[in-house]
Amino acid sequence: MESNRTDAPLPADMLPSLRDDIVSGALPNGTPLREEAVAARFGVSRTPARMAIHCLIREGVLDRETHHSAVVHTLTRTEVTDLTEMHECLDLIAVRQAAVRRSEADLRRLRADVMAAGRAEAAVDPLAVMRAGGEFRRHTYHATGNRPLCNVEGAFRTRTRRLIALSEAQAVSPAQSFRRLLAAFEARDSEAAESVMADLLKRIRRTRPEHVLPRMDEDIADTLSAPTVPSAPEPSVASEPSPADVLRVVSLLREQIIDGTRAPGERLGTRRVAAELGVSRAVAVDALELLRREGLVTTATARSAARVHVPCLEESDDLLDVVATMTTRAARIAVQRPATEEYRRLHDILTQEKVAWLNNDSALIEHMFAFRRHILAMADNKAFLEADELLNGRLRLQFATIAFEPLVLRGHQLLYGAISARDPALAEKIHRETLGRIDRRGRLLQTDGGPLRPAVSEIPGPPASRG
């Protein structure tokens, strides 16, 4: 049976070791990472070394330098702010859902993480604290069973570990918070879990000016002052897949999955995809990996090929929860930024959305996606935009199979009302009381005994400029 693997698996310690070196600072900002050096370190050929570097580039901790080398990415203040803002909404979803969905197996893993974090704090071992905290966070997300949420967490996991590593563990004392979270999970108390996480996030944010930013400035200064070492000529090897070809195949397969040309459960072997689309197998491998990260295809194994993902109703609710939370968090941030022209554009998009709804126009879906995307852009947060890219294909697939339009339209109307009033607290409340509560979503679809048919005249005008 065909699989999507073209090479032997990576050595078990290869990626974890490289990640730890980057996260801990053993490989500082700007450090080159070349295939031949990685291959020599782990006693492997250049092919698995290339795969490891490619994986770390996708994780956002390496920047591509040449076809066969990369450098450790320099984390900026803006990226720290973006990641912090994203965690402040998604981590709250994670603990709230983990509290009610966790299994006994989840609790066993979390208890082990809490014990490891406590031992590491007692031994004053920052690296061990970071590892235990990373595992506690990963296992908390896993306990939610929320596939879209876990996809986003996985995409940002290594960057998050770098951010956490810059903090002073003793200043935050995460082990104590982990114990309190574990107690809330054991009691299935979602409100207590959310309260504990909110308190931990506040303490992390307070430590940022004192601990994180000064260390970042030192790292950046070291990077700028380090002498530039000319790269050695690279031996000629087979060329890597063209990024343009990979993105073209991703776009085509995504469209076919969404419109049903590729049916749910259909096998997507790399040889078959490569032959059908006239590309190399390496291009097909990379394209299917990107679609896996988007949640549109399943993970391939050594014995079986990837398949088109089969969505379910519970996953649809989870996806809406994540998207609604990100959008309302972005709206809260955008409300505090005086960008009158951006508000006018959002007003125009919502008007087009409502007109398309009233006229049963097929352009309705595109207007809805444009509305959400514009709010994310107004927040000026690249982490939100990157996460949205991961969720976008799955969300389009859900819209193609389930009639979410009335719900989303009503949510957009309420959200725009909060934005036009420049009321960030109201934007948060809309999520909490409506879109963020699965059990209340159905109520949004009805108005006074009839289906939702909002009139264009109901839309308030954009907020006036504030000098």
Side-chain angles (χ1 to χ4, degrees), residues 237-455:
V237 296
S239 61
E240 292 188 349
S242 161
D245 286 343
V246 173
L247 291 178
R248 178 176 60 82
V249 172
V250 167
S251 179
L252 180 59
L253 289 176
R254 184 191 295 121
E255 183 179 341
Q256 291 176 342
I257 291 171
I258 291 171
D259 68 17
T261 302
R262 304 270 182 181
E266 180 179 333
R267 294 179 67 255
L268 293 172
T270 52
R271 290 191 180 91
R272 174 184 172 187
V273 170
E276 287 182 4
L277 303 182
V279 296
S280 69
R281 192 178 175 200
V283 168
V285 168
D286 281 2
L288 289 172
E289 170 59 19
L290 291 176
L291 289 170
R292 183 198 65 78
R293 285 163 58 87
E294 293 182 16
L296 292 178
V297 304
T298 63
T299 302
T301 69
R303 294 179 176 272
S304 62
R307 292 180 180 272
V308 176
H309 176 62
V310 181
C312 63
L313 186 58
E314 180 178 304
E315 185 177 328
S316 301
D317 281 333
D318 285 344
L319 180 61
L320 273 181
D321 206 11
V322 175
V323 171
T325 301
M326 283 177 45
T327 305
T328 50
R329 178 63 182 175
R332 184 182 181 95
I333 297 168
V335 161
Q336 302 172 62
R337 294 177 176 165
T340 303
E341 188 56 40
E342 297 297 324
Y343 285 113
R344 290 198 183 99
R345 174 60 184 149
L346 191 65
H347 175 269
D348 291 345
I349 294 172
L350 183 58
T351 300
Q352 293 167 352
E353 188 177 313
K354 287 199 171 184
V355 170
W357 164 256
L358 293 172
N359 295 328
N360 198 26
D361 189 334
S362 60
L364 171 63
I365 300 299
E366 294 306 317
H367 293 317
M368 288 181 165
F369 276 83
F371 181 92
R372 192 187 78 261
R373 189 74 176 176
H374 191 67
I375 289 180
L376 296 176
M378 288 172 68
D380 195 25
N381 183 311
K382 290 183 179 179
F384 280 147
L385 291 170
E386 183 180 342
D388 184 65
E389 286 293 331
L390 291 173
L391 301 172
N392 188 63
R394 193 180 330 208
L395 191 59
R396 287 181 178 273
L397 178 61
Q398 298 292 354
F399 269 83
T401 55
I402 302 174
F404 284 136
E405 291 90 339
L407 165 64
V408 175
L409 179 56
R410 180 60 175 162
H412 285 179
Q413 181 181 12
L414 294 171
L415 195 55
Y416 180 79
I419 292 173
S420 64
R422 292 188 184 265
D423 189 340
L426 179 58
E428 291 282 357
K429 185 176 181 180
I430 287 170
H431 170 258
R432 174 74 65 184
E433 298 300 325
T434 55
L435 294 177
R437 287 286 303 276
I438 293 174
D439 60 328
R440 297 187 183 184
R441 284 178 183 154
R443 304 179 193 179
L444 292 179
L445 306 183
Q446 300 292 328
T447 58
D448 297 329
L452 179 67
R453 300 290 295 185

Side-chain angles (χ1 to χ4, degrees), residues 27-33 61 63 65 70-74 162 219 223 226:
L27 291 174
N29 292 331
T31 302
L33 211 61
V61 293
D63 295 326
E65 187 179 47
V71 297
V72 176
H73 175 72
T74 300
R162 285 192 81 188
D219 291 344
T223 302

Side-chain angles (χ1 to χ4, degrees), residues 187-206:
R188 295 190 183 275
D189 190 338
S190 59
E191 292 186 1
E194 191 169 357
S195 176
V196 173
M197 177 55 72
D199 178 67
L200 176 60
L201 291 170
K202 287 179 183 177
R203 283 188 284 124
I204 292 173
R205 179 180 277 273
R206 283 198 300 267

Side-chain angles (χ1 to χ4, degrees), residues 86-95 141 149 152 322 325-326:
M86 185 177 70
H87 292 321
E88 286 177 350
C89 66
L90 297 189
D91 285 358
L92 293 174
I93 298 179
V95 298
Y141 273 74
L149 186 64
V152 174
V322 175
T325 301
M326 283 177 45

